[in-house]
């Protein structure tokens, strides 16, 4: 593809990425109102977020493997179509059960977008130039993250729209992305005999889902030390062990275990998992803190997240340009890991009386760190794997980042609910105020505007204390991610795209197969001869 064709195709890819981001962010400020209107609980609040992350996490490696076998453009359009279906179901939901199911459908579509957009970029753009485009996608990420909460807040606060339009608004963007990709994206279809690893795919999805469901319910629906924990954790671990055995034996594994012999892939995977725990787990409850602890409206809560998004926007865009110009990328990972750790540690000091200036500064620092880490971890891995494994390597990183985010959201959501409940039980009679009007952390999310002042202050402080504790828990994860990136070895960025490298590798393999055995033996013996004294 020419430079112009690449830029045209980027428009469709950016629209698809914008849709995937919008799915998670547009409901951020609307969730307290949605959960209150549906009469759901704090655990349901967590599940509306977790269900999409779980579905996205479990399906990312499947999308990545399919991208190595089938037409990437068709797969992108299919994932966008699933997102449209999920969005329409969510918008028409009359109960929290259907809402959670629709979020699962959205998550499957978002899993495809998460894996495939980066795979397609690597297929048509050389790693040496990828930093510049990754910076642009970082900007799209930032704009989507900014626009989502703002748009969601405005819709919730507008009586003739309401929270349902938070889901409907993504539909036209998804449909536009399908049309743009059809008209602008031109990718070769690799036609070869393939064997789909259905058993491995089932075991991976079932194992990951079982473990994540256990993490989501443990400490909330049942104790961490209970027979339910033994059944879910043991069953999930057993399924994943069987998955590893199957993946090691089949000719076309969903996750090729051989890529983990590459130190760069292993280290970037570990760092991506920890970034997911720190980023998603630490920040997903900020909107609830703004609305409940600080008493802000959904629209204002969206505006208050701007410093973090601007930090992410600036750092990802500037770093992408610098990497493209210089070719050096590791320094950005190291600075990003340190900055993210500092930002989370500062946010662990917040309370209901923290000034907006300090909140903005802390969020901006966190955003800068995340912006320097996320895309550049993917760039490092894509640069160091064979072209045939681009889809698998990219999806593995996305998979573990999403899994970290899901685990972080689930665990920290349970911590939040327990800490809020304990704070309210300690400061309110019976943990529920006068007559039980102010619910505890495991009950319905409170509507602050209708509560008496004494009860409201207790609830505000309870949520502030619990939110600060979440950041305190997330900080060590970021610190470990910083230590991991220190061990990643910097390698020169390749100057050919994934498709070009795939063609070159295929030609080299064909030439090697056609070469006479005697010539191969002589070629293999040559290094030993030249080194002889």
């Amino acid at each position: 593809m020419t430079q112009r064709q690449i830029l045209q195709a980027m428009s469709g890819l950016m629209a698809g990425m914008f849709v995937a981001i919008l799915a998670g962010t547009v409901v951020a400020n609307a969730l307290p109102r949605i959960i209150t209107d549906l009469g759901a609980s704090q655990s349901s609040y967590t599940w509306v977020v977790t269900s999409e992350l779980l579905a996205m996490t479990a399906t990312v490696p499947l999308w990545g493997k399919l991208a190595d076998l089938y037409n990437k453009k068709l797969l992108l359009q299919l994932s966008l179509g699933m997102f449209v279906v999920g969005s329409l179901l969510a918008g028409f939901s009359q109960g929290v059960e259907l809402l959670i199911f629709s979020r699962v459908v959205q998550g499957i579509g978002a899993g495809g977008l998460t894996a495939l957009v980066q795979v397609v970029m690597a297929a048509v753009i050389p790693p040496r130039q990828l930093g510049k485009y990754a910076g642009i996608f970082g900007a799209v990420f930032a704009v989507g993250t900014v626009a989502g909460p703002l748009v969601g807040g405005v819709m919730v606060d507008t009586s003739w729209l309401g929270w349902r339009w938070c889901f409907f608004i993504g539909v036209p963007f998804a449909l536009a992305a399908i049309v743009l990709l059809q008209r602008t994206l031109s990718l070769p279809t690799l036609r070869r005999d393939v064997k789909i690893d259905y058993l491995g795919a089932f075991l991976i999805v079932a194992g990951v889902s079982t473990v994540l469901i256990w993490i989501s319910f443990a400490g909330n629906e049942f104790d961490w030390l209970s027979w339910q924990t033994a059944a879910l954790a043991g069953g999930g671990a057993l399924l994943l062990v069987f998955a590893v055995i199957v993946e090691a034996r089949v000719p076309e594994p969903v996750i090729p275990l051989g890529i983990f012999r590459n130190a760069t892939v292993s280290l970037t995977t570990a760092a991506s998992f920890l970034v997911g725990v720190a980023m998603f787990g630490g920040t997903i409850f900020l909107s609830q803190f703004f609305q409940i602890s600080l008493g802000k409206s959904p629209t204002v809560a969206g505006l208050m997240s701007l410093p973090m998004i601007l930090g992410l926007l600036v750092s990802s865009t500037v770093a992408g340009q610098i990497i493209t110009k210089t070719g050096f990328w590791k320094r950005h990972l190291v600075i990003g890991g340190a900055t993210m750790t500092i930002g989370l540690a500062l946010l662990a000091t917040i309370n209901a009386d923290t000034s907006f200036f300090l909140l903005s500064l802390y969020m901006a620092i966190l955003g800068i760190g995340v912006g320097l880490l996320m895309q550049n971890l993917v760039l490092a891995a894509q640069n160091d794997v064979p072209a045939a494994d681009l889809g698998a390597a990219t999806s593995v990183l996305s998979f573990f980042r999403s899994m970290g985010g899901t685990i972080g959201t689930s665990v920290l959501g349970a911590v939040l609910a327990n800490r809020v409940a304990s704070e309210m039980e300690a400061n309110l009679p019976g943990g529920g105020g006068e007559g039980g009007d102010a619910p505890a952390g495991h009950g319905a999310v409170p509507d602050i505007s209708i509560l008496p002042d004494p009860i409201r202050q207790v609830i505000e402080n309870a949520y502030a204390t619990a939110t600060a504790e979440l950041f305190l828990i997330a900080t060590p994860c970021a610190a470990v991610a910083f230590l991991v990136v220190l061990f990643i070895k910097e390698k020169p960025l390749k100057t050919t795209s994934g498709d070009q490298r795939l063609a070159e590798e295929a030609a080299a393999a064909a030439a090697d197969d056609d070469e006479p055995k005697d010539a191969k033996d002589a070629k293999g013996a040559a290094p030993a001869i030249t080194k002889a004294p």
Side-chain angles (χ1 to χ4, degrees):
M1 296 175 65
T2 65
Q3 185 75 9
R4 181 179 179 182
Q5 289 173 325
I6 289 174
L7 290 173
Q8 289 174 337
M10 288 299 106
S11 60
L13 292 175
M14 285 189 287
M17 181 62 79
F18 183 76
V19 161
I21 297 163
L22 204 66
T25 61
V26 76
V27 299
N29 290 320
L31 268 178
R33 186 71 58 83
I34 294 172
I35 297 301
T36 300
D37 287 352
L38 296 179
S41 65
Q42 176 67 50
S43 61
S44 297
Y45 183 107
T46 303
W47 263 104
V48 171
V49 178
T50 305
S51 58
E52 190 205 12
L53 284 173
L54 191 153
M56 180 173 68
T57 300
T59 57
V60 158
L62 307 185
W63 289 108
K65 183 59 184 178
L66 291 173
D68 286 334
L69 303 179
Y70 299 111
N71 186 277
K72 300 175 182 65
K73 181 169 78 172
L74 181 62
L75 293 172
L76 266 173
Q77 292 171 319
L78 177 61
S79 61
L80 284 164
M82 295 198 68
F83 177 84
V84 169
V85 172
S87 298
L88 292 174
L89 285 174
F92 289 114
S93 297
Q94 298 299 317
V96 73
E97 294 81 8
L98 179 58
L99 177 61
I100 291 173
F101 172 77
S102 66
R103 295 288 285 171
V104 171
V105 179
Q106 276 190 314
I108 296 173
L113 294 169
T114 300
L116 295 170
V117 166
Q118 296 181 87
V119 171
V120 170
M121 284 178 62
V124 300
I125 303 170
R128 186 69 169 80
Q129 302 295 323
L130 197 57
K132 176 172 61 177
Y133 294 99
I136 295 174
F137 273 87
V140 172
F141 182 94
V143 170
T145 311
V146 171
L150 286 176
V151 171
V154 170
M155 288 182 173
V156 170
D157 288 337
T158 304
S159 59
W160 51 275
L161 286 174
W163 59 262
R164 297 184 185 278
W165 280 93
C166 293
F167 301 104
F168 293 145
I169 193 172
V171 173
F173 287 101
L175 295 176
I178 293 173
V179 174
L180 283 169
L181 290 170
Q182 180 63 35
R183 298 185 60 181
T184 62
L185 186 61
S186 176
L187 290 174
T189 301
L190 180 63
R191 298 192 180 279
R192 60 189 177 95
D193 293 332
V194 297
K195 294 182 179 179
I196 303 298
D197 179 21
Y198 292 108
L199 178 58
F202 168 76
L203 290 172
I204 290 171
V205 172
V208 170
S209 299
T210 302
V211 170
L212 294 178
I213 288 171
W214 161 59
I215 292 171
S216 299
F217 283 123
N220 192 359
E221 301 296 328
F222 50 80
D223 293 333
W224 286 97
L225 297 176
S226 62
W227 69 266
Q228 293 96 330
T229 288
L232 290 173
L238 193 61
L239 287 169
L240 291 176
V241 168
F242 285 140
V244 171
I245 294 173
V246 170
E247 294 298 275
R249 298 186 178 188
V250 296
E252 294 282 359
V254 175
I255 300 179
L257 301 181
I259 65 173
F260 291 108
R261 288 194 289 267
N262 183 311
T264 301
V265 172
S266 297
L267 291 171
T268 52
T269 298
S272 294
F273 176 83
L274 294 165
V275 169
V277 172
M279 182 182 67
F280 288 103
T283 61
I284 198 70
F285 300 101
L286 266 179
S287 176
Q288 197 174 31
F289 167 74
F290 294 148
Q291 294 184 53
I292 295 180
S293 294
L294 304 185
K296 306 299 182 183
S297 69
T299 302
V300 174
L303 290 170
M304 291 181 72
S305 65
L306 279 174
M308 181 169 65
I309 306 310
L310 290 175
L312 192 153
L313 167 64
V314 172
S315 65
S316 64
T317 305
V318 172
Q321 296 292 333
I322 294 174
I323 290 172
T324 298
K325 184 177 181 179
T326 65
F328 297 108
W329 47 267
K330 181 176 176 178
R331 63 190 65 173
H332 301 284
L333 294 181
V334 174
I335 296 172
T339 307
M340 184 175 71
T341 305
I342 294 170
L344 287 169
L346 292 172
L347 283 168
T349 66
I350 63 175
N351 56 50
D353 299 321
T354 302
S355 69
F356 179 63
F357 173 78
L358 285 178
L359 270 175
S360 300
L361 178 62
Y362 300 164
M363 288 189 293
I365 293 173
L366 176 61
I368 290 170
V370 172
L372 290 173
L373 273 175
M374 270 204 316
Q375 290 295 330
N376 293 327
L377 286 170
V378 177
L379 172 64
Q382 289 176 338
N383 182 62
D384 201 31
V385 296
D389 289 333
L390 269 177
T394 303
S395 64
V396 162
L397 259 68
S398 299
F399 168 73
F400 278 95
R401 185 177 65 230
S402 299
M403 188 172 182
T406 308
I407 290 174
T409 302
S410 301
V411 171
L412 296 181
V415 171
L416 177 76
N418 280 304
R419 185 57 190 269
V420 168
S422 63
E423 287 287 320
M424 294 173 66
E425 287 167 4
N427 294 285
L428 290 175
E434 298 175 6
D437 291 333
H442 294 298
V445 176
D447 185 351
I448 294 295
S449 62
I450 63 173
L451 297 176
D453 284 345
I455 295 177
R456 187 180 72 248
Q457 290 175 7
V458 170
I459 294 175
E460 288 174 352
N461 289 325
Y463 274 88
T465 301
T467 304
E469 185 172 318
L470 301 189
F471 288 113
L472 185 62
I473 295 172
T475 300
C477 294
V480 176
F482 168 68
L483 294 176
V484 169
V485 299
L486 291 177
F487 291 95
I488 299 176
K489 183 179 179 181
E490 183 159 27
K491 297 183 179 180
L493 294 174
K494 293 181 173 67
T495 57
T496 54
S497 69
D499 282 347
Q500 290 172 318
R501 287 155 57 194
L502 189 61
E504 291 170 0
E505 291 167 8
D512 189 58
D513 289 340
D514 294 339
E515 193 174 5
K517 184 178 184 302
D518 292 343
K520 292 182 187 178
D521 293 340
K523 184 186 294 183
I529 294 172
T530 57
K531 290 181 181 180

